[in-house]
Amino acid sequence: QEQLVESGGGLVQAGDSLRLSCVVSERTFSSAHMAWFRQAPGKERELVARISRSGDSTDYHYSVRGRFTIARDNAKKAVYLQMNNLKSEDTAKYYCAAAGTWTVLARNYESWGQGTQVTVSS
């Protein structure tokens, strides 16, 4: 069973930065498209950013475009989310996910981490 382990969340102030990391145990990591989702209390899980297996393609939720950057290191089997200029509305639990297809739908991601909490105080 593939394991995804997120880290890097925390409590920060508006305008601060955080870098989330997700390390994947699966040896076929380089063949998976990766994504970060988030879910705030009472809201649906939403796609924040995704990156193709090669790293050549990325895609962002409109609300984080220009502030967040997704990247991956296939040698380290890791994916990252650099979050700058954080806002209170970014407060959520952030999840790393892996998919065999290039998709925006959460239901198409086969593997998920346990999540890491990001709380931004205004």
Side-chain angles (χ1 to χ4, degrees), residues 33-37 45-50 58-61 99 101-109 112:
H33 302 295
M34 300 298 298
W36 288 95
F37 286 79
R45 190 168 295 193
E46 64 180 10
L47 177 67
V48 176
R50 58 176 176 153
T58 58
D59 192 19
Y60 296 90
H61 191 274
T101 57
W102 184 238
T103 179
V104 299
L105 299 176
R107 65 172 181 264
N108 291 338
Y109 284 79
W112 292 83

mmCIF file with all atom_site columns, all heavy atoms in Angstrom, residues 33-37 45-50 58-61 99 101-109 112:
data_model
loop_
_atom_site.group_PDB
_atom_site.id
_atom_site.type_symbol
_atom_site.label_atom_id
_atom_site.label_alt_id
_atom_site.label_comp_id
_atom_site.label_asym_id
_atom_site.label_entity_id
_atom_site.label_seq_id
_atom_site.pdbx_PDB_ins_code
_atom_site.Cartn_x
_atom_site.Cartn_y
_atom_site.Cartn_z
_atom_site.occupancy
_atom_site.B_iso_or_equiv
_atom_site.pdbx_formal_charge
_atom_site.auth_seq_id
_atom_site.auth_comp_id
_atom_site.auth_asym_id
_atom_site.auth_atom_id
_atom_site.pdbx_PDB_model_num
ATOM 1   N N   . HIS A 1 33  ? 0.857   11.320 -11.100 1.00 0.00 ? 33  HIS A N   1
ATOM 2   C CA  . HIS A 1 33  ? 0.570   12.748 -11.027 1.00 0.00 ? 33  HIS A CA  1
ATOM 3   C C   . HIS A 1 33  ? 0.241   13.051 -9.561  1.00 0.00 ? 33  HIS A C   1
ATOM 4   O O   . HIS A 1 33  ? -0.454  12.265 -8.908  1.00 0.00 ? 33  HIS A O   1
ATOM 5   C CB  . HIS A 1 33  ? -0.619  13.118 -11.906 1.00 0.00 ? 33  HIS A CB  1
ATOM 6   C CG  . HIS A 1 33  ? -0.433  12.758 -13.350 1.00 0.00 ? 33  HIS A CG  1
ATOM 7   N ND1 . HIS A 1 33  ? 0.529   13.339 -14.145 1.00 0.00 ? 33  HIS A ND1 1
ATOM 8   C CD2 . HIS A 1 33  ? -1.096  11.871 -14.147 1.00 0.00 ? 33  HIS A CD2 1
ATOM 9   C CE1 . HIS A 1 33  ? 0.463   12.834 -15.376 1.00 0.00 ? 33  HIS A CE1 1
ATOM 10  N NE2 . HIS A 1 33  ? -0.514  11.940 -15.397 1.00 0.00 ? 33  HIS A NE2 1
ATOM 11  N N   . MET A 1 34  ? 0.708   14.171 -9.080  1.00 0.00 ? 34  MET A N   1
ATOM 12  C CA  . MET A 1 34  ? 0.541   14.495 -7.667  1.00 0.00 ? 34  MET A CA  1
ATOM 13  C C   . MET A 1 34  ? -0.258  15.784 -7.493  1.00 0.00 ? 34  MET A C   1
ATOM 14  O O   . MET A 1 34  ? -0.251  16.653 -8.375  1.00 0.00 ? 34  MET A O   1
ATOM 15  C CB  . MET A 1 34  ? 1.910   14.644 -7.000  1.00 0.00 ? 34  MET A CB  1
ATOM 16  C CG  . MET A 1 34  ? 2.777   13.404 -7.065  1.00 0.00 ? 34  MET A CG  1
ATOM 17  S SD  . MET A 1 34  ? 2.065   11.986 -6.206  1.00 0.00 ? 34  MET A SD  1
ATOM 18  C CE  . MET A 1 34  ? 1.990   12.608 -4.526  1.00 0.00 ? 34  MET A CE  1
ATOM 19  N N   . ALA A 1 35  ? -0.911  15.885 -6.356  1.00 0.00 ? 35  ALA A N   1
ATOM 20  C CA  . ALA A 1 35  ? -1.722  17.078 -6.102  1.00 0.00 ? 35  ALA A CA  1
ATOM 21  C C   . ALA A 1 35  ? -1.783  17.375 -4.613  1.00 0.00 ? 35  ALA A C   1
ATOM 22  O O   . ALA A 1 35  ? -1.533  16.505 -3.770  1.00 0.00 ? 35  ALA A O   1
ATOM 23  C CB  . ALA A 1 35  ? -3.130  16.870 -6.641  1.00 0.00 ? 35  ALA A CB  1
ATOM 24  N N   . TRP A 1 36  ? -2.106  18.607 -4.328  1.00 0.00 ? 36  TRP A N   1
ATOM 25  C CA  . TRP A 1 36  ? -2.455  19.046 -2.976  1.00 0.00 ? 36  TRP A CA  1
ATOM 26  C C   . TRP A 1 36  ? -3.919  19.473 -2.994  1.00 0.00 ? 36  TRP A C   1
ATOM 27  O O   . TRP A 1 36  ? -4.328  20.262 -3.854  1.00 0.00 ? 36  TRP A O   1
ATOM 28  C CB  . TRP A 1 36  ? -1.584  20.209 -2.531  1.00 0.00 ? 36  TRP A CB  1
ATOM 29  C CG  . TRP A 1 36  ? -0.172  19.839 -2.228  1.00 0.00 ? 36  TRP A CG  1
ATOM 30  C CD1 . TRP A 1 36  ? 0.907   19.908 -3.052  1.00 0.00 ? 36  TRP A CD1 1
ATOM 31  C CD2 . TRP A 1 36  ? 0.308   19.331 -0.970  1.00 0.00 ? 36  TRP A CD2 1
ATOM 32  N NE1 . TRP A 1 36  ? 2.028   19.474 -2.400  1.00 0.00 ? 36  TRP A NE1 1
ATOM 33  C CE2 . TRP A 1 36  ? 1.690   19.114 -1.127  1.00 0.00 ? 36  TRP A CE2 1
ATOM 34  C CE3 . TRP A 1 36  ? -0.285  19.040 0.253   1.00 0.00 ? 36  TRP A CE3 1
ATOM 35  C CZ2 . TRP A 1 36  ? 2.498   18.619 -0.083  1.00 0.00 ? 36  TRP A CZ2 1
ATOM 36  C CZ3 . TRP A 1 36  ? 0.506   18.555 1.269   1.00 0.00 ? 36  TRP A CZ3 1
ATOM 37  C CH2 . TRP A 1 36  ? 1.879   18.349 1.116   1.00 0.00 ? 36  TRP A CH2 1
ATOM 38  N N   . PHE A 1 37  ? -4.672  18.932 -2.054  1.00 0.00 ? 37  PHE A N   1
ATOM 39  C CA  . PHE A 1 37  ? -6.044  19.331 -1.827  1.00 0.00 ? 37  PHE A CA  1
ATOM 40  C C   . PHE A 1 37  ? -6.123  19.965 -0.443  1.00 0.00 ? 37  PHE A C   1
ATOM 41  O O   . PHE A 1 37  ? -5.221  19.801 0.374   1.00 0.00 ? 37  PHE A O   1
ATOM 42  C CB  . PHE A 1 37  ? -6.978  18.114 -1.865  1.00 0.00 ? 37  PHE A CB  1
ATOM 43  C CG  . PHE A 1 37  ? -7.228  17.565 -3.231  1.00 0.00 ? 37  PHE A CG  1
ATOM 44  C CD1 . PHE A 1 37  ? -6.294  16.749 -3.853  1.00 0.00 ? 37  PHE A CD1 1
ATOM 45  C CD2 . PHE A 1 37  ? -8.405  17.843 -3.904  1.00 0.00 ? 37  PHE A CD2 1
ATOM 46  C CE1 . PHE A 1 37  ? -6.527  16.227 -5.122  1.00 0.00 ? 37  PHE A CE1 1
ATOM 47  C CE2 . PHE A 1 37  ? -8.655  17.333 -5.170  1.00 0.00 ? 37  PHE A CE2 1
ATOM 48  C CZ  . PHE A 1 37  ? -7.699  16.519 -5.776  1.00 0.00 ? 37  PHE A CZ  1
ATOM 49  N N   . ARG A 1 45  ? -13.798 19.269 -0.073  1.00 0.00 ? 45  ARG A N   1
ATOM 50  C CA  . ARG A 1 45  ? -12.377 19.193 -0.385  1.00 0.00 ? 45  ARG A CA  1
ATOM 51  C C   . ARG A 1 45  ? -12.163 19.811 -1.770  1.00 0.00 ? 45  ARG A C   1
ATOM 52  O O   . ARG A 1 45  ? -12.906 19.521 -2.710  1.00 0.00 ? 45  ARG A O   1
ATOM 53  C CB  . ARG A 1 45  ? -11.915 17.742 -0.369  1.00 0.00 ? 45  ARG A CB  1
ATOM 54  C CG  . ARG A 1 45  ? -10.428 17.564 -0.440  1.00 0.00 ? 45  ARG A CG  1
ATOM 55  C CD  . ARG A 1 45  ? -10.028 16.128 -0.134  1.00 0.00 ? 45  ARG A CD  1
ATOM 56  N NE  . ARG A 1 45  ? -10.353 15.755 1.241   1.00 0.00 ? 45  ARG A NE  1
ATOM 57  C CZ  . ARG A 1 45  ? -9.903  14.655 1.840   1.00 0.00 ? 45  ARG A CZ  1
ATOM 58  N NH1 . ARG A 1 45  ? -9.118  13.822 1.165   1.00 0.00 ? 45  ARG A NH1 1
ATOM 59  N NH2 . ARG A 1 45  ? -10.234 14.374 3.077   1.00 0.00 ? 45  ARG A NH2 1
ATOM 60  N N   . GLU A 1 46  ? -11.144 20.665 -1.883  1.00 0.00 ? 46  GLU A N   1
ATOM 61  C CA  . GLU A 1 46  ? -10.885 21.327 -3.157  1.00 0.00 ? 46  GLU A CA  1
ATOM 62  C C   . GLU A 1 46  ? -9.434  21.154 -3.583  1.00 0.00 ? 46  GLU A C   1
ATOM 63  O O   . GLU A 1 46  ? -8.536  21.080 -2.743  1.00 0.00 ? 46  GLU A O   1
ATOM 64  C CB  . GLU A 1 46  ? -11.239 22.817 -3.090  1.00 0.00 ? 46  GLU A CB  1
ATOM 65  C CG  . GLU A 1 46  ? -10.408 23.634 -2.134  1.00 0.00 ? 46  GLU A CG  1
ATOM 66  C CD  . GLU A 1 46  ? -10.807 25.117 -2.097  1.00 0.00 ? 46  GLU A CD  1
ATOM 67  O OE1 . GLU A 1 46  ? -11.854 25.479 -2.670  1.00 0.00 ? 46  GLU A OE1 1
ATOM 68  O OE2 . GLU A 1 46  ? -10.052 25.904 -1.501  1.00 0.00 ? 46  GLU A OE2 1
ATOM 69  N N   . LEU A 1 47  ? -9.249  21.104 -4.890  1.00 0.00 ? 47  LEU A N   1
ATOM 70  C CA  . LEU A 1 47  ? -7.911  20.985 -5.445  1.00 0.00 ? 47  LEU A CA  1
ATOM 71  C C   . LEU A 1 47  ? -7.185  22.324 -5.321  1.00 0.00 ? 47  LEU A C   1
ATOM 72  O O   . LEU A 1 47  ? -7.686  23.354 -5.775  1.00 0.00 ? 47  LEU A O   1
ATOM 73  C CB  . LEU A 1 47  ? -7.995  20.578 -6.908  1.00 0.00 ? 47  LEU A CB  1
ATOM 74  C CG  . LEU A 1 47  ? -6.674  20.477 -7.657  1.00 0.00 ? 47  LEU A CG  1
ATOM 75  C CD1 . LEU A 1 47  ? -5.820  19.345 -7.123  1.00 0.00 ? 47  LEU A CD1 1
ATOM 76  C CD2 . LEU A 1 47  ? -6.932  20.278 -9.155  1.00 0.00 ? 47  LEU A CD2 1
ATOM 77  N N   . VAL A 1 48  ? -6.025  22.305 -4.726  1.00 0.00 ? 48  VAL A N   1
ATOM 78  C CA  . VAL A 1 48  ? -5.221  23.522 -4.568  1.00 0.00 ? 48  VAL A CA  1
ATOM 79  C C   . VAL A 1 48  ? -4.227  23.636 -5.715  1.00 0.00 ? 48  VAL A C   1
ATOM 80  O O   . VAL A 1 48  ? -4.095  24.689 -6.337  1.00 0.00 ? 48  VAL A O   1
ATOM 81  C CB  . VAL A 1 48  ? -4.468  23.503 -3.231  1.00 0.00 ? 48  VAL A CB  1
ATOM 82  C CG1 . VAL A 1 48  ? -3.567  24.726 -3.111  1.00 0.00 ? 48  VAL A CG1 1
ATOM 83  C CG2 . VAL A 1 48  ? -5.447  23.435 -2.073  1.00 0.00 ? 48  VAL A CG2 1
ATOM 84  N N   . ALA A 1 49  ? -3.518  22.528 -5.982  1.00 0.00 ? 49  ALA A N   1
ATOM 85  C CA  . ALA A 1 49  ? -2.513  22.528 -7.043  1.00 0.00 ? 49  ALA A CA  1
ATOM 86  C C   . ALA A 1 49  ? -2.237  21.094 -7.451  1.00 0.00 ? 49  ALA A C   1
ATOM 87  O O   . ALA A 1 49  ? -2.372  20.175 -6.640  1.00 0.00 ? 49  ALA A O   1
ATOM 88  C CB  . ALA A 1 49  ? -1.223  23.197 -6.580  1.00 0.00 ? 49  ALA A CB  1
ATOM 89  N N   . ARG A 1 50  ? -1.831  20.913 -8.688  1.00 0.00 ? 50  ARG A N   1
ATOM 90  C CA  . ARG A 1 50  ? -1.443  19.593 -9.163  1.00 0.00 ? 50  ARG A CA  1
ATOM 91  C C   . ARG A 1 50  ? -0.229  19.725 -10.067 1.00 0.00 ? 50  ARG A C   1
ATOM 92  O O   . ARG A 1 50  ? 0.016   20.786 -10.661 1.00 0.00 ? 50  ARG A O   1
ATOM 93  C CB  . ARG A 1 50  ? -2.592  18.902 -9.894  1.00 0.00 ? 50  ARG A CB  1
ATOM 94  C CG  . ARG A 1 50  ? -3.125  19.675 -11.095 1.00 0.00 ? 50  ARG A CG  1
ATOM 95  C CD  . ARG A 1 50  ? -4.192  18.890 -11.831 1.00 0.00 ? 50  ARG A CD  1
ATOM 96  N NE  . ARG A 1 50  ? -4.758  19.679 -12.932 1.00 0.00 ? 50  ARG A NE  1
ATOM 97  C CZ  . ARG A 1 50  ? -5.289  19.146 -14.016 1.00 0.00 ? 50  ARG A CZ  1
ATOM 98  N NH1 . ARG A 1 50  ? -5.351  17.822 -14.164 1.00 0.00 ? 50  ARG A NH1 1
ATOM 99  N NH2 . ARG A 1 50  ? -5.786  19.917 -14.953 1.00 0.00 ? 50  ARG A NH2 1
ATOM 100 N N   . THR A 1 58  ? 1.718   22.149 -14.451 1.00 0.00 ? 58  THR A N   1
ATOM 101 C CA  . THR A 1 58  ? 1.144   22.455 -13.147 1.00 0.00 ? 58  THR A CA  1
ATOM 102 C C   . THR A 1 58  ? -0.178  23.187 -13.349 1.00 0.00 ? 58  THR A C   1
ATOM 103 O O   . THR A 1 58  ? -0.440  23.757 -14.411 1.00 0.00 ? 58  THR A O   1
ATOM 104 C CB  . THR A 1 58  ? 2.076   23.335 -12.298 1.00 0.00 ? 58  THR A CB  1
ATOM 105 O OG1 . THR A 1 58  ? 2.355   24.551 -13.014 1.00 0.00 ? 58  THR A OG1 1
ATOM 106 C CG2 . THR A 1 58  ? 3.380   22.623 -11.984 1.00 0.00 ? 58  THR A CG2 1
ATOM 107 N N   . ASP A 1 59  ? -0.968  23.165 -12.300 1.00 0.00 ? 59  ASP A N   1
ATOM 108 C CA  . ASP A 1 59  ? -2.292  23.775 -12.379 1.00 0.00 ? 59  ASP A CA  1
ATOM 109 C C   . ASP A 1 59  ? -2.649  24.213 -10.970 1.00 0.00 ? 59  ASP A C   1
ATOM 110 O O   . ASP A 1 59  ? -2.320  23.520 -10.001 1.00 0.00 ? 59  ASP A O   1
ATOM 111 C CB  . ASP A 1 59  ? -3.291  22.736 -12.893 1.00 0.00 ? 59  ASP A CB  1
ATOM 112 C CG  . ASP A 1 59  ? -4.614  23.337 -13.277 1.00 0.00 ? 59  ASP A CG  1
ATOM 113 O OD1 . ASP A 1 59  ? -4.674  24.567 -13.503 1.00 0.00 ? 59  ASP A OD1 1
ATOM 114 O OD2 . ASP A 1 59  ? -5.606  22.584 -13.358 1.00 0.00 ? 59  ASP A OD2 1
ATOM 115 N N   . TYR A 1 60  ? -3.316  25.383 -10.844 1.00 0.00 ? 60  TYR A N   1
ATOM 116 C CA  . TYR A 1 60  ? -3.606  25.938 -9.528  1.00 0.00 ? 60  TYR A CA  1
ATOM 117 C C   . TYR A 1 60  ? -5.057  26.384 -9.416  1.00 0.00 ? 60  TYR A C   1
ATOM 118 O O   . TYR A 1 60  ? -5.676  26.842 -10.396 1.00 0.00 ? 60  TYR A O   1
ATOM 119 C CB  . TYR A 1 60  ? -2.707  27.150 -9.253  1.00 0.00 ? 60  TYR A CB  1
ATOM 120 C CG  . TYR A 1 60  ? -1.243  26.825 -9.189  1.00 0.00 ? 60  TYR A CG  1
ATOM 121 C CD1 . TYR A 1 60  ? -0.444  26.874 -10.320 1.00 0.00 ? 60  TYR A CD1 1
ATOM 122 C CD2 . TYR A 1 60  ? -0.654  26.448 -7.983  1.00 0.00 ? 60  TYR A CD2 1
ATOM 123 C CE1 . TYR A 1 60  ? 0.902   26.564 -10.266 1.00 0.00 ? 60  TYR A CE1 1
ATOM 124 C CE2 . TYR A 1 60  ? 0.698   26.137 -7.910  1.00 0.00 ? 60  TYR A CE2 1
ATOM 125 C CZ  . TYR A 1 60  ? 1.465   26.201 -9.066  1.00 0.00 ? 60  TYR A CZ  1
ATOM 126 O OH  . TYR A 1 60  ? 2.795   25.887 -8.990  1.00 0.00 ? 60  TYR A OH  1
ATOM 127 N N   . HIS A 1 61  ? -5.580  26.318 -8.197  1.00 0.00 ? 61  HIS A N   1
ATOM 128 C CA  . HIS A 1 61  ? -6.856  26.938 -7.900  1.00 0.00 ? 61  HIS A CA  1
ATOM 129 C C   . HIS A 1 61  ? -6.682  28.441 -8.082  1.00 0.00 ? 61  HIS A C   1
ATOM 130 O O   . HIS A 1 61  ? -5.642  28.994 -7.732  1.00 0.00 ? 61  HIS A O   1
ATOM 131 C CB  . HIS A 1 61  ? -7.258  26.599 -6.458  1.00 0.00 ? 61  HIS A CB  1
ATOM 132 C CG  . HIS A 1 61  ? -8.660  26.966 -6.120  1.00 0.00 ? 61  HIS A CG  1
ATOM 133 N ND1 . HIS A 1 61  ? -8.999  28.223 -5.678  1.00 0.00 ? 61  HIS A ND1 1
ATOM 134 C CD2 . HIS A 1 61  ? -9.797  26.242 -6.146  1.00 0.00 ? 61  HIS A CD2 1
ATOM 135 C CE1 . HIS A 1 61  ? -10.301 28.259 -5.445  1.00 0.00 ? 61  HIS A CE1 1
ATOM 136 N NE2 . HIS A 1 61  ? -10.816 27.066 -5.725  1.00 0.00 ? 61  HIS A NE2 1
ATOM 137 N N   . ALA A 1 99  ? -2.328  10.208 -8.316  1.00 0.00 ? 99  ALA A N   1
ATOM 138 C CA  . ALA A 1 99  ? -3.248  9.655  -9.315  1.00 0.00 ? 99  ALA A CA  1
ATOM 139 C C   . ALA A 1 99  ? -2.477  9.147  -10.520 1.00 0.00 ? 99  ALA A C   1
ATOM 140 O O   . ALA A 1 99  ? -1.434  9.696  -10.880 1.00 0.00 ? 99  ALA A O   1
ATOM 141 C CB  . ALA A 1 99  ? -4.249  10.715 -9.755  1.00 0.00 ? 99  ALA A CB  1
ATOM 142 N N   . THR A 1 101 ? -3.925  9.186  -13.467 1.00 0.00 ? 101 THR A N   1
ATOM 143 C CA  . THR A 1 101 ? -4.408  9.986  -14.584 1.00 0.00 ? 101 THR A CA  1
ATOM 144 C C   . THR A 1 101 ? -4.300  11.466 -14.243 1.00 0.00 ? 101 THR A C   1
ATOM 145 O O   . THR A 1 101 ? -4.273  11.853 -13.063 1.00 0.00 ? 101 THR A O   1
ATOM 146 C CB  . THR A 1 101 ? -5.867  9.653  -14.904 1.00 0.00 ? 101 THR A CB  1
ATOM 147 O OG1 . THR A 1 101 ? -6.659  9.868  -13.727 1.00 0.00 ? 101 THR A OG1 1
ATOM 148 C CG2 . THR A 1 101 ? -6.013  8.206  -15.348 1.00 0.00 ? 101 THR A CG2 1
ATOM 149 N N   . TRP A 1 102 ? -4.268  12.308 -15.266 1.00 0.00 ? 102 TRP A N   1
ATOM 150 C CA  . TRP A 1 102 ? -4.182  13.752 -15.098 1.00 0.00 ? 102 TRP A CA  1
ATOM 151 C C   . TRP A 1 102 ? -5.601  14.265 -14.892 1.00 0.00 ? 102 TRP A C   1
ATOM 152 O O   . TRP A 1 102 ? -6.377  14.407 -15.824 1.00 0.00 ? 102 TRP A O   1
ATOM 153 C CB  . TRP A 1 102 ? -3.539  14.366 -16.333 1.00 0.00 ? 102 TRP A CB  1
ATOM 154 C CG  . TRP A 1 102 ? -3.281  15.854 -16.287 1.00 0.00 ? 102 TRP A CG  1
ATOM 155 C CD1 . TRP A 1 102 ? -3.761  16.782 -17.154 1.00 0.00 ? 102 TRP A CD1 1
ATOM 156 C CD2 . TRP A 1 102 ? -2.473  16.573 -15.358 1.00 0.00 ? 102 TRP A CD2 1
ATOM 157 N NE1 . TRP A 1 102 ? -3.300  18.026 -16.817 1.00 0.00 ? 102 TRP A NE1 1
ATOM 158 C CE2 . TRP A 1 102 ? -2.501  17.934 -15.716 1.00 0.00 ? 102 TRP A CE2 1
ATOM 159 C CE3 . TRP A 1 102 ? -1.702  16.192 -14.240 1.00 0.00 ? 102 TRP A CE3 1
ATOM 160 C CZ2 . TRP A 1 102 ? -1.806  18.921 -15.012 1.00 0.00 ? 102 TRP A CZ2 1
ATOM 161 C CZ3 . TRP A 1 102 ? -1.010  17.162 -13.535 1.00 0.00 ? 102 TRP A CZ3 1
ATOM 162 C CH2 . TRP A 1 102 ? -1.067  18.514 -13.916 1.00 0.00 ? 102 TRP A CH2 1
ATOM 163 N N   . THR A 1 103 ? -5.966  14.533 -13.629 1.00 0.00 ? 103 THR A N   1
ATOM 164 C CA  . THR A 1 103 ? -7.341  14.795 -13.282 1.00 0.00 ? 103 THR A CA  1
ATOM 165 C C   . THR A 1 103 ? -7.463  15.863 -12.204 1.00 0.00 ? 103 THR A C   1
ATOM 166 O O   . THR A 1 103 ? -6.545  16.050 -11.400 1.00 0.00 ? 103 THR A O   1
ATOM 167 C CB  . THR A 1 103 ? -8.008  13.491 -12.793 1.00 0.00 ? 103 THR A CB  1
ATOM 168 O OG1 . THR A 1 103 ? -9.357  13.738 -12.416 1.00 0.00 ? 103 THR A OG1 1
ATOM 169 C CG2 . THR A 1 103 ? -7.255  12.913 -11.593 1.00 0.00 ? 103 THR A CG2 1
ATOM 170 N N   . VAL A 1 104 ? -8.612  16.537 -12.160 1.00 0.00 ? 104 VAL A N   1
ATOM 171 C CA  . VAL A 1 104 ? -8.876  17.522 -11.113 1.00 0.00 ? 104 VAL A CA  1
ATOM 172 C C   . VAL A 1 104 ? -9.843  16.967 -10.070 1.00 0.00 ? 104 VAL A C   1
ATOM 173 O O   . VAL A 1 104 ? -10.090 17.615 -9.052  1.00 0.00 ? 104 VAL A O   1
ATOM 174 C CB  . VAL A 1 104 ? -9.455  18.833 -11.702 1.00 0.00 ? 104 VAL A CB  1
ATOM 175 C CG1 . VAL A 1 104 ? -8.467  19.461 -12.665 1.00 0.00 ? 104 VAL A CG1 1
ATOM 176 C CG2 . VAL A 1 104 ? -10.794 18.587 -12.367 1.00 0.00 ? 104 VAL A CG2 1
ATOM 177 N N   . LEU A 1 105 ? -10.386 15.776 -10.313 1.00 0.00 ? 105 LEU A N   1
ATOM 178 C CA  . LEU A 1 105 ? -11.401 15.216 -9.438  1.00 0.00 ? 105 LEU A CA  1
ATOM 179 C C   . LEU A 1 105 ? -10.778 14.420 -8.293  1.00 0.00 ? 105 LEU A C   1
ATOM 180 O O   . LEU A 1 105 ? -10.004 13.484 -8.517  1.00 0.00 ? 105 LEU A O   1
ATOM 181 C CB  . LEU A 1 105 ? -12.339 14.319 -10.242 1.00 0.00 ? 105 LEU A CB  1
ATOM 182 C CG  . LEU A 1 105 ? -13.102 15.002 -11.369 1.00 0.00 ? 105 LEU A CG  1
ATOM 183 C CD1 . LEU A 1 105 ? -13.912 13.984 -12.154 1.00 0.00 ? 105 LEU A CD1 1
ATOM 184 C CD2 . LEU A 1 105 ? -13.998 16.101 -10.830 1.00 0.00 ? 105 LEU A CD2 1
ATOM 185 N N   . ALA A 1 106 ? -11.183 14.771 -7.075  1.00 0.00 ? 106 ALA A N   1
ATOM 186 C CA  . ALA A 1 106 ? -10.640 14.087 -5.904  1.00 0.00 ? 106 ALA A CA  1
ATOM 187 C C   . ALA A 1 106 ? -10.900 12.585 -5.948  1.00 0.00 ? 106 ALA A C   1
ATOM 188 O O   . ALA A 1 106 ? -10.051 11.796 -5.524  1.00 0.00 ? 106 ALA A O   1
ATOM 189 C CB  . ALA A 1 106 ? -11.227 14.696 -4.636  1.00 0.00 ? 106 ALA A CB  1
ATOM 190 N N   . ARG A 1 107 ? -12.044 12.199 -6.487  1.00 0.00 ? 107 ARG A N   1
ATOM 191 C CA  . ARG A 1 107 ? -12.389 10.770 -6.493  1.00 0.00 ? 107 ARG A CA  1
ATOM 192 C C   . ARG A 1 107 ? -11.477 9.952  -7.400  1.00 0.00 ? 107 ARG A C   1
ATOM 193 O O   . ARG A 1 107 ? -11.440 8.724  -7.285  1.00 0.00 ? 107 ARG A O   1
ATOM 194 C CB  . ARG A 1 107 ? -13.849 10.585 -6.911  1.00 0.00 ? 107 ARG A CB  1
ATOM 195 C CG  . ARG A 1 107 ? -14.169 11.001 -8.333  1.00 0.00 ? 107 ARG A CG  1
ATOM 196 C CD  . ARG A 1 107 ? -15.594 10.604 -8.700  1.00 0.00 ? 107 ARG A CD  1
ATOM 197 N NE  . ARG A 1 107 ? -15.935 10.962 -10.077 1.00 0.00 ? 107 ARG A NE  1
ATOM 198 C CZ  . ARG A 1 107 ? -16.570 12.080 -10.388 1.00 0.00 ? 107 ARG A CZ  1
ATOM 199 N NH1 . ARG A 1 107 ? -16.934 12.920 -9.458  1.00 0.00 ? 107 ARG A NH1 1
ATOM 200 N NH2 . ARG A 1 107 ? -16.869 12.330 -11.645 1.00 0.00 ? 107 ARG A NH2 1
ATOM 201 N N   . ASN A 1 108 ? -10.748 10.600 -8.257  1.00 0.00 ? 108 ASN A N   1
ATOM 202 C CA  . ASN A 1 108 ? -9.840  9.890  -9.159  1.00 0.00 ? 108 ASN A CA  1
ATOM 203 C C   . ASN A 1 108 ? -8.436  9.743  -8.596  1.00 0.00 ? 108 ASN A C   1
ATOM 204 O O   . ASN A 1 108 ? -7.576  9.138  -9.247  1.00 0.00 ? 108 ASN A O   1
ATOM 205 C CB  . ASN A 1 108 ? -9.786  10.583 -10.513 1.00 0.00 ? 108 ASN A CB  1
ATOM 206 C CG  . ASN A 1 108 ? -11.096 10.454 -11.278 1.00 0.00 ? 108 ASN A CG  1
ATOM 207 O OD1 . ASN A 1 108 ? -11.886 9.550  -11.021 1.00 0.00 ? 108 ASN A OD1 1
ATOM 208 N ND2 . ASN A 1 108 ? -11.333 11.362 -12.194 1.00 0.00 ? 108 ASN A ND2 1
ATOM 209 N N   . TYR A 1 109 ? -8.194  10.301 -7.435  1.00 0.00 ? 109 TYR A N   1
ATOM 210 C CA  . TYR A 1 109 ? -6.883  10.136 -6.793  1.00 0.00 ? 109 TYR A CA  1
ATOM 211 C C   . TYR A 1 109 ? -6.932  8.879  -5.934  1.00 0.00 ? 109 TYR A C   1
ATOM 212 O O   . TYR A 1 109 ? -7.780  8.743  -5.065  1.00 0.00 ? 109 TYR A O   1
ATOM 213 C CB  . TYR A 1 109 ? -6.517  11.378 -5.986  1.00 0.00 ? 109 TYR A CB  1
ATOM 214 C CG  . TYR A 1 109 ? -6.062  12.508 -6.879  1.00 0.00 ? 109 TYR A CG  1
ATOM 215 C CD1 . TYR A 1 109 ? -6.974  13.294 -7.578  1.00 0.00 ? 109 TYR A CD1 1
ATOM 216 C CD2 . TYR A 1 109 ? -4.700  12.766 -7.067  1.00 0.00 ? 109 TYR A CD2 1
ATOM 217 C CE1 . TYR A 1 109 ? -6.553  14.299 -8.433  1.00 0.00 ? 109 TYR A CE1 1
ATOM 218 C CE2 . TYR A 1 109 ? -4.272  13.779 -7.911  1.00 0.00 ? 109 TYR A CE2 1
ATOM 219 C CZ  . TYR A 1 109 ? -5.204  14.535 -8.598  1.00 0.00 ? 109 TYR A CZ  1
ATOM 220 O OH  . TYR A 1 109 ? -4.777  15.525 -9.446  1.00 0.00 ? 109 TYR A OH  1
ATOM 221 N N   . TRP A 1 112 ? -3.911  8.798  -0.694  1.00 0.00 ? 112 TRP A N   1
ATOM 222 C CA  . TRP A 1 112 ? -4.013  10.040 0.071   1.00 0.00 ? 112 TRP A CA  1
ATOM 223 C C   . TRP A 1 112 ? -3.166  9.955  1.328   1.00 0.00 ? 112 TRP A C   1
ATOM 224 O O   . TRP A 1 112 ? -3.023  8.880  1.928   1.00 0.00 ? 112 TRP A O   1
ATOM 225 C CB  . TRP A 1 112 ? -5.465  10.285 0.488   1.00 0.00 ? 112 TRP A CB  1
ATOM 226 C CG  . TRP A 1 112 ? -6.366  10.579 -0.648  1.00 0.00 ? 112 TRP A CG  1
ATOM 227 C CD1 . TRP A 1 112 ? -6.978  9.683  -1.486  1.00 0.00 ? 112 TRP A CD1 1
ATOM 228 C CD2 . TRP A 1 112 ? -6.790  11.875 -1.090  1.00 0.00 ? 112 TRP A CD2 1
ATOM 229 N NE1 . TRP A 1 112 ? -7.738  10.336 -2.419  1.00 0.00 ? 112 TRP A NE1 1
ATOM 230 C CE2 . TRP A 1 112 ? -7.648  11.684 -2.196  1.00 0.00 ? 112 TRP A CE2 1
ATOM 231 C CE3 . TRP A 1 112 ? -6.529  13.174 -0.663  1.00 0.00 ? 112 TRP A CE3 1
ATOM 232 C CZ2 . TRP A 1 112 ? -8.238  12.755 -2.870  1.00 0.00 ? 112 TRP A CZ2 1
ATOM 233 C CZ3 . TRP A 1 112 ? -7.119  14.238 -1.331  1.00 0.00 ? 112 TRP A CZ3 1
ATOM 234 C CH2 . TRP A 1 112 ? -7.958  14.024 -2.423  1.00 0.00 ? 112 TRP A CH2 1
#
